[in-house]
Amino acid sequence: MFNPTPHHMKSPMVFNRQGGPQQITSSSKTKHALAFLCLFDGLRTPSIRRLVRKPRTICMKPLLTFDPSFYAPSSKSSLQETYLKSVNCPCEIAVDPSVQTVLNLLRRHTTSMPPQRVILHYFGHGCHPPMADGCLFFFTDDRARYKPIKIQNIVNACACPLCIILDCPFAGVLLAHLSSRADIFAFCACSACEQLPLSTDAPMDLFSSCLLKPFDTALFWRMRQNSSIYEEQKMPPEECCEFLNNLFMSLLDSILFDTQTKNNIESFTRDPSIAQLTRGFVLAQRVMLSFNLHPIAQPDLKPMASHPLWEFWDVALDFSVTMEKDEAISMIFKLFISSFKKFPKSGYFPLFSFLMTIQDYHESVCQVLFDYMDSTEGAAENAARSSIPKTIMKMQKPSAISLLILAKILSTGSTAPFDQQTPFNFASSSNNSVIKAGMLAMCCALNNQSLASFNRLTNLCIDHAVDCAPYSALFLGLLIERGGRLMNLPPFCETFVKLIKEDTRDDVRAASVFVLGVSKDTQYIEMLVDLLADKSPFVRVQSFFALLQMMQVAPNKEIFPKMKALQNDTDQICKNAVIDAIPTLELIEANADDAFGVKPVCFSLNGILQNLTLSVRSPGFMKRYEKNVFELKQK
């Protein structure tokens, strides 16, 4: 036990949130935060302890009013508001708590069913530092002495997942005692052998400020660095702050995305509250390093303090301080794009996700991003892990190039960012290029996800059958194939028959044959038989599969030999596809004499969707998009 001072004892204060329980959004998996502010300093009475530097702020809020004789409700509400704004959960604050107070709070908030994460924020600047045996120090009930409790006992008292913030000297010494549970995140202000800065140049709550108020802290830190340059402290104008805040958050995401493993990123970003704290930790690594301190986390995060994007942020801040808003944004955009073209990197995708939301630069940003994805192997797979797909789907007026980016991403087999309520905003566009690109994206989405809400787009395919071919035919055919013949559709076959006869593009004709096949309209059997000898191998393949569908409805023994002859086709791709389908054809032929008709045969041999997605995700897709989307398979 350690005796700080026997003078002026005060009871621990616990601040409860005002009013009823806070409503947490459904996306939040963290339900509550508990902040333990261990600030004891001799209660403002002159003593030897007063000669030691003491904490004065937490997250840039003054701590003076936490003294009972100076207590003001505004201090409580402002600190609780910080937690609500930052991590979207209410916070209960205990100042100089006893061990029993801590345990009571844990029992009250960590036993929910189903378990939801609780944040434990230990602000230990007025307390004895933690020890290697796992002891974390609070106070006795009368505050006469420090009282330790093993952090393992704190963890064992919590039946829910935890996030532990340790803002105190030697914080890293406790990490070894937290490794027994996989559902714990921890953020430590320094390593096991490091003291927090004693310099008055930085507030003692710098680490907590980085985690909970990263943008404000980044501005403060940059202005502090420039204090010797400017005669007076210069801050960005108010009208720039919203843009800068969004830019900064996306920059932190980019640094994280570029430096950490896929599993680590998924782990730290699955819970929105933890994701926000992790962004702050990225900043903390840079800021604390200037004091030769090394914040650490559990699970371990690789160093990010020297990432090149920090230089971009510093220049962006300088632009915003010295230029008008529009000029500053233009310069920031040009700097980023020119740098990316010289040194392209998939790690910068989160920044693209933000910049494409700025209307004035949307087309330029999307074009640069698409060109990179269309020329770089693996770029689309990396983009699928970023926020780009969701950003595009949220756009009220998506552009054609943004929807092509979405198609590239969905073609990789990644889960589409759709649910039954997702609006398909591209469908209301008056621009056929936008609708066409949107249909392609939906085709790629159907590769691994099919929702009933997609059926709302069938009439769109029919209305734009010619304008958006071949993707209108492909999308309509895929929807009918999945929805069956119960779909109530207006007549559409004649439109696609006309495309088969008149269009010069092989992919348009092949897609039109595909949609005729899934319609199972037997009046077109003779035309399909003639197309078995078409000049395009892909049209021949689709004619074969269309007839395969129709033979189940109206088997014709004279047609079976003509279909089988295609297994000797001169094109190897066509030949292989037919050979794979011959057993199914023979099964249909064997059932043709059945008195009860041909039994339905379940098969999914037509690889048209697989061929499409392969073409979309392969480099050089833009050339194929306007000429022949299946050209890749014909080489």
Side-chain angles (χ1 to χ4, degrees):
M1 301 291 184
F2 298 87
N3 192 342
T5 174
H7 307 299
H8 301 280
M9 306 307 172
K10 65 178 179 180
S11 299
M13 295 186 297
V14 178
F15 298 147
N16 295 306
R17 61 187 187 277
Q18 294 176 334
Q22 297 285 344
Q23 294 295 318
I24 306 302
T25 61
S26 59
S27 63
S28 178
K29 298 179 182 179
T30 296
K31 72 160 187 174
H32 209 86
L34 299 175
F36 304 120
L37 309 184
C38 298
L39 311 172
F40 183 80
D41 70 332
L43 275 184
R44 304 179 57 78
T45 301
S47 68
I48 294 177
R49 283 182 56 82
R50 295 285 290 162
L51 301 178
V52 180
R53 189 180 179 216
K54 67 187 185 72
R56 297 185 181 277
T57 59
I58 179 168
C59 299
M60 302 183 181
K61 302 295 182 183
L63 288 172
L64 180 65
T65 55
F66 281 99
D67 190 306
S69 60
F70 290 82
Y71 168 68
S74 59
S75 293
K76 174 191 70 173
S77 60
S78 63
L79 188 51
Q80 290 173 340
E81 185 180 348
T82 296
Y83 281 90
L84 275 174
K85 285 185 176 180
S86 177
V87 295
N88 194 29
C89 68
C91 176
E92 194 159 332
I93 303 165
V95 180
D96 294 345
S98 66
V99 168
Q100 191 58 48
T101 300
V102 171
L103 293 176
N104 290 340
L105 287 173
L106 293 178
R107 292 190 190 100
R108 188 189 313 166
H109 294 289
T110 62
T111 56
S112 63
M113 291 300 293
Q116 292 178 294
R117 182 172 283 105
V118 171
I119 297 173
L120 306 182
H121 188 169
Y122 180 78
F123 188 81
H125 290 172
C127 208
H128 192 278
M131 302 183 70
D133 62 358
C135 284
L136 195 61
F137 287 86
F138 295 95
F139 298 92
T140 56
D141 290 335
D142 59 1
R143 295 195 72 256
R145 294 172 297 173
Y146 295 124
K147 186 174 182 179
I149 180 175
K150 292 290 183 71
I151 194 166
Q152 192 62 51
N153 293 338
I154 293 177
V155 170
N156 292 339
C158 302
C160 64
L162 296 174
C163 174
I164 301 176
I165 301 172
L166 296 170
D167 192 355
C168 58
F170 311 126
V173 77
L174 297 175
L175 277 191
H177 302 276
L178 300 176
S179 58
S180 59
R181 278 178 54 174
D183 60 350
I184 293 180
F185 291 95
F187 299 100
C188 301
C190 56
S191 67
C193 58
E194 294 175 340
Q195 282 270 19
L196 291 183
L198 297 177
S199 169
T200 56
D201 287 349
M204 295 185 74
D205 64 322
L206 192 56
F207 180 71
S208 294
S209 298
C210 287
L211 263 57
L212 294 174
K213 302 183 74 173
F215 177 64
D216 293 339
T217 306
L219 291 183
F220 157 79
W221 190 249
R222 182 59 179 165
M223 296 310 112
R224 176 187 176 277
Q225 288 179 311
N226 289 340
S227 59
S228 60
I229 300 175
Y230 302 122
E231 293 183 0
E232 58 182 34
Q233 193 176 52
K234 288 191 175 183
M235 298 291 283
E238 191 68 29
E239 60 268 20
C240 262
C241 285
E242 182 180 358
F243 166 79
L244 286 174
N245 181 50
N246 293 332
L247 176 69
F248 185 58
M249 292 301 116
S250 62
L251 180 136
L252 295 177
D253 286 338
S254 291
I255 294 176
L256 194 69
F257 192 84
D258 189 43
T259 56
Q260 308 305 317
T261 64
K262 176 183 176 181
N263 289 339
N264 248 9
I265 292 174
E266 290 177 353
S267 176
F268 276 96
T269 57
R270 192 174 294 119
D271 181 338
S273 298
I274 302 303
Q276 181 60 25
L277 291 174
T278 306
R279 292 186 187 99
F281 185 79
V282 177
L283 173 66
Q285 281 200 345
R286 186 197 193 197
V287 170
M288 302 298 280
L289 185 62
S290 61
F291 294 99
N292 200 28
L293 298 177
H294 305 82
I296 52 179
Q298 178 179 298
D300 185 46
L301 291 172
K302 297 177 183 178
M304 296 170 276
S306 301
H307 196 277
L309 279 179
W310 287 120
E311 296 179 10
F312 169 70
W313 168 246
D314 291 340
V315 175
L317 266 185
D318 290 343
F319 285 157
S320 66
V321 169
T322 57
M323 299 178 181
E324 295 294 328
K325 177 185 176 182
D326 292 342
E327 184 183 6
I329 293 176
S330 176
M331 290 295 293
I332 291 170
F333 167 76
K334 291 177 181 177
L335 174 63
F336 175 73
I337 293 299
S338 62
S339 299
F340 182 82
K341 287 181 177 179
K342 293 178 181 177
F343 308 101
K345 211 171 187 182
S346 295
Y348 299 163
F349 283 157
L351 268 169
F352 275 101
S353 182
F354 163 64
L355 290 174
M356 68 169 56
T357 63
I358 303 175
Q359 194 61 38
D360 292 344
Y361 305 103
H362 172 80
E363 288 285 346
S364 301
V365 170
C366 289
Q367 190 62 59
V368 171
L369 178 58
F370 181 85
D371 291 344
Y372 172 70
M373 292 173 59
D374 200 30
S375 60
T376 307
E377 289 282 356
E381 287 82 353
N382 287 329
R385 298 191 292 112
S386 72
S387 57
I388 289 176
K390 291 183 179 179
T391 298
I392 295 173
M393 285 307 302
K394 289 178 181 177
M395 291 179 180
Q396 293 297 318
K397 295 181 179 180
S399 64
I401 191 67
S402 68
L403 292 168
L404 289 179
I405 291 172
L406 182 63
K408 290 282 287 187
I409 292 172
L410 296 178
S411 68
T412 64
S414 61
T415 302
F418 307 131
D419 56 36
Q420 296 291 2
Q421 285 73 45
T422 300
F424 302 112
N425 293 323
F426 73 89
S428 59
S429 175
S430 58
N431 188 334
N432 288 334
S433 297
V434 173
I435 297 175
K436 183 178 179 179
M439 288 180 180
L440 172 62
M442 294 300 101
C443 289
C444 295
L446 283 171
N447 190 36
N448 62 346
Q449 182 180 17
S450 182
L451 298 174
S453 59
F454 287 10
N455 294 334
R456 303 197 306 260
L457 301 174
T458 51
N459 286 332
L460 183 73
C461 297
I462 297 171
D463 294 340
H464 295 272
V466 177
D467 300 331
C468 300
Y471 309 106
S472 55
L474 288 169
F475 188 36
L476 179 61
L478 292 169
L479 290 175
I480 296 173
E481 192 175 52
R482 284 158 173 74
R485 302 194 68 182
L486 295 178
M487 298 176 68
N488 186 20
L489 297 175
F492 62 86
C493 289
E494 280 302 320
T495 303
F496 293 104
V497 169
K498 186 176 181 181
L499 286 174
I500 294 172
K501 294 178 178 179
E502 298 180 1
D503 204 287
T504 58
R505 284 182 54 168
D506 290 344
D507 57 346
V508 172
R509 297 173 64 242
S512 299
V513 171
F514 167 67
V515 77
L516 284 186
V518 296
S519 74
K520 296 185 180 179
D521 192 334
T522 57
Q523 66 173 308
Y524 301 109
I525 287 180
E526 290 187 12
M527 184 186 73
L528 292 173
V529 171
D530 293 339
L531 289 174
L532 290 174
D534 192 86
K535 62 181 179 63
S536 169
F538 210 84
V539 172
R540 296 199 296 272
V541 169
Q542 289 309 311
S543 299
F544 174 87
F545 283 112
L547 287 169
L548 198 62
Q549 296 263 19
M550 293 185 183
M551 289 301 100
Q552 294 187 79
V553 179
N556 187 325
K557 290 186 176 182
E558 295 181 359
I559 295 177
F560 289 126
K562 297 178 181 179
M563 295 175 65
K564 290 181 180 179
L566 214 59
Q567 62 186 316
N568 298 317
D569 195 272
T570 55
D571 183 85
Q572 192 62 42
I573 294 175
C574 177
K575 179 179 178 179
N576 292 341
V578 172
I579 290 174
D580 290 340
I582 287 297
T584 301
L585 178 62
E586 291 175 344
L587 180 60
I588 294 173
E589 185 178 13
N591 291 331
D593 293 329
D594 195 308
F596 298 99
V598 178
K599 298 177 182 178
V601 178
C602 295
F603 61 90
S604 57
L605 301 172
N606 193 340
I608 192 167
L609 180 57
Q610 289 71 28
N611 294 336
L612 174 68
T613 53
L614 176 61
S615 176
V616 174
R617 70 173 175 264
S618 299
F621 169 68
M622 182 54 83
K623 295 179 180 178
R624 297 189 294 275
Y625 177 67
E626 294 294 350
K627 293 182 178 180
N628 183 354
V629 71
F630 301 118
E631 187 178 4
L632 180 71
K633 294 297 291 182
Q634 294 180 1
K635 288 183 178 180

